[in-house]
Amino acid sequence: MRALTWHGKHDVRMDTVPDPQIVNPRDAIIEVTSTAICGSDLHLYDAVIPGLQGGDILGHEFMGRVVETGPKSTLKKGQRVVVPFTISCGSCFFCKATLFSACDNANPVETQEASELLYGHAVGGLFGYSHMTGGYPGGQAEYVRVPYSDVGPIVVPDGVPDEDVLFLSDILPTGWMAAENCDILPGDSVAVWGCGPVGLFAVQSALLMGAGRVIAIDHHPNRLALARGLGADVIDYTQTHVLEALMEMTGGMGPDAVIDAVGMESHGMAPDNLLDTAKQKVGIGADRAHALRMALMAVRKGGRVSIPGVYGGMADKFPLGALMEKGLQVRSGQTHVQRYGSRLLDMIMEGKIDTTFLISHRLSLEEAPRGYRNFADNQNEWTKVVLTP
């Protein structure tokens, strides 16, 4: 089959690879009908996530049609399914607590050592990401093997277009959980750093949860316009002093809650970010955490901090004093997609959530390298890329 594979920094290629096979009784094989490039795929493209190997198949946002099932799969051939990017067994301590992304069984023993050393515990399994998260082949391919297919996939009714439901695989539940982690009360003010796909869905979700004012922060005019179209007020951080503006917009209090939807590759010319960038380029493993530092400084005393943006290493100059002295609450983590799938599918079907407004480009799978290059280099115009195998 044809699949998009990683070969090094800014080097992804279409390769011919072996077709996936049923390995375990709970497996299913999916013929991919739509897949997408995620903002966190760019961390792999930029080679700042450890644990990638040449030839790895990328992609963790995908859906398709079931073509083969193991004897213990609950799926049926011909069903259309969206596959969560988190792989979960459904029966361990964490899955039973609906902490699906922390599944104790999805990451094989042979790939657990690196994350145990780096984080203190082995992390869960993810499609198409890193050998720290299991090394599972991803969905930017014609076919993909889905482990624990009786737990994760969301069956989609016939007649619903792929683009309406594709983002149930990751960015929609990620934006939703980011807002949910803010414990939003009616009328709350919420500031969101980053107007990429996750940030935009966080804006939409926060407003649906009753936020009185959502303030989106970015520097790409088109992305800020998308946030404004959802109902957010916006700040261009290249034109405005963000902390002063947020204080003024919230009556001198600071936002009730803040969301860092940027993660480990902050942009901008702030001195701390320039130093982080230099360290990241020479491989010291420092995350560029400028957006998170800003969020911690901006949020009001006793406020809530949500971090859906991906971090993989260490952050220097972390404002630990602000965190403690202001009494902040922090929530983060990979999204527990299986917790939200059915509820968000219902909201899509009821017309309460629009998932298509951010799609800027539709390409064939063969054009994926061009999609990666432009999604990385032309972020104002390329807001979301959907690929069709």
Side-chain angles (χ1 to χ4, degrees):
M1 69 172 185
R2 302 290 284 163
L4 186 82
T5 57
W6 184 89
H7 291 274
K9 184 176 181 179
H10 300 165
D11 183 1
V12 294
R13 309 172 193 170
M14 288 303 304
D15 284 337
T16 299
V17 302
D19 287 358
Q21 305 293 322
I22 296 288
V23 175
N24 294 309
R26 296 167 70 184
D27 288 354
I29 303 297
I30 306 296
E31 181 184 17
V32 178
T33 55
S34 292
T35 180
I37 303 175
C38 181
S40 56
D41 285 329
L42 296 183
H43 301 320
L44 309 176
Y45 188 66
D46 292 338
V48 296
I49 293 285
L52 277 168
Q53 298 177 7
D56 282 349
I57 301 174
L58 301 180
H60 58 271
E61 294 180 351
F62 60 92
M63 64 175 295
R65 191 172 297 280
V66 180
V67 295
E68 190 175 354
T69 58
K72 292 187 178 180
S73 173
T74 55
L75 297 178
K76 296 178 175 59
K77 292 181 182 178
Q79 282 182 319
R80 296 172 64 223
V81 293
V82 179
V83 181
F85 78 99
T86 48
I87 301 170
S88 308
C89 74
S91 57
C92 70
F93 169 87
F94 298 99
C95 287
K96 288 180 177 177
T98 74
L99 301 171
F100 293 101
S101 68
C103 176
D104 240 355
N105 293 318
N107 192 346
V109 172
E110 58 269 25
T111 55
Q112 291 185 359
E113 185 176 357
S115 60
E116 284 179 341
L117 181 64
L118 192 57
Y119 305 133
H121 295 84
V123 297
L126 307 177
F127 286 101
Y129 212 68
S130 158
H131 287 262
M132 287 177 59
T133 55
Y136 289 95
Q140 288 166 4
E142 292 181 284
Y143 299 92
V144 62
R145 178 177 79 92
V146 177
Y148 302 120
S149 66
D150 54 326
V151 177
I154 305 158
V155 178
V156 177
D158 288 336
V160 178
D162 278 16
E163 288 183 0
D164 285 6
V165 293
L166 171 61
F167 302 141
L168 286 168
S169 56
D170 177 0
I171 55 173
L172 176 57
T174 296
W176 185 267
M177 192 172 99
E180 185 178 79
N181 281 344
C182 291
D183 289 335
I184 294 169
L185 299 173
D188 270 354
S189 57
V190 181
V192 180
W193 271 259
C195 293
V198 168
L200 290 169
F201 278 137
V203 167
Q204 189 178 41
S205 300
L207 290 166
L208 283 168
M209 291 178 190
R213 189 175 197 181
V214 176
I215 304 163
I217 302 153
D218 205 300
H219 68 298
H220 295 298
N222 186 43
R223 294 187 176 209
L224 288 171
L226 289 172
R228 190 183 294 111
L230 292 170
D233 295 316
V234 302
I235 295 175
D236 180 342
Y237 68 76
T238 65
Q239 304 296 320
T240 305
H241 190 287
V242 174
L243 297 184
E244 291 179 359
L246 287 173
M247 289 296 282
E248 182 178 342
M249 296 168 80
T250 57
M253 289 277 288
D256 297 298
V258 293
I259 297 174
D260 169 12
V262 175
M264 63 194 294
E265 293 189 89
S266 279
H267 296 276
M269 302 299 288
D272 63 319
N273 200 48
L274 293 175
L275 183 58
D276 287 343
T277 302
K279 289 181 177 180
Q280 203 171 60
K281 282 186 180 298
V282 298
I284 291 178
D287 291 345
R288 287 153 42 192
H290 175 71
L292 179 56
R293 295 188 192 100
M294 293 280 287
L296 290 169
M297 297 302 290
V299 67
R300 69 161 168 80
K301 291 180 285 187
R304 289 90 69 189
V305 181
S306 171
I307 312 172
V310 173
Y311 289 91
M314 308 292 177
D316 297 336
K317 303 170 292 300
F318 187 78
L320 189 58
L323 179 67
M324 188 274 169
E325 297 292 347
K326 293 203 294 183
L328 305 182
Q329 302 173 51
V330 179
R331 291 184 182 173
S332 185
Q334 297 285 1
T335 305
H336 309 301
V337 179
Q338 292 87 340
R339 183 194 294 173
Y340 302 103
S342 296
R343 188 189 341 166
L344 292 174
L345 175 61
D346 288 344
M347 295 180 75
I348 292 170
M349 301 298 289
E350 293 165 2
K352 295 179 179 177
I353 292 180
D354 173 23
T355 61
T356 61
F357 69 94
L358 44 63
I359 300 172
S360 61
H361 293 79
R362 298 167 175 85
L363 305 177
S364 69
L365 183 62
E366 297 289 331
E367 296 176 287
R370 182 169 76 90
Y372 267 82
R373 185 168 60 253
N374 281 285
F375 193 41
D377 296 340
N378 301 311
Q379 295 191 357
N380 184 52
E381 296 81 12
W382 290 64
T383 53
K384 190 65 181 176
V385 183
V386 173
L387 305 168
T388 304

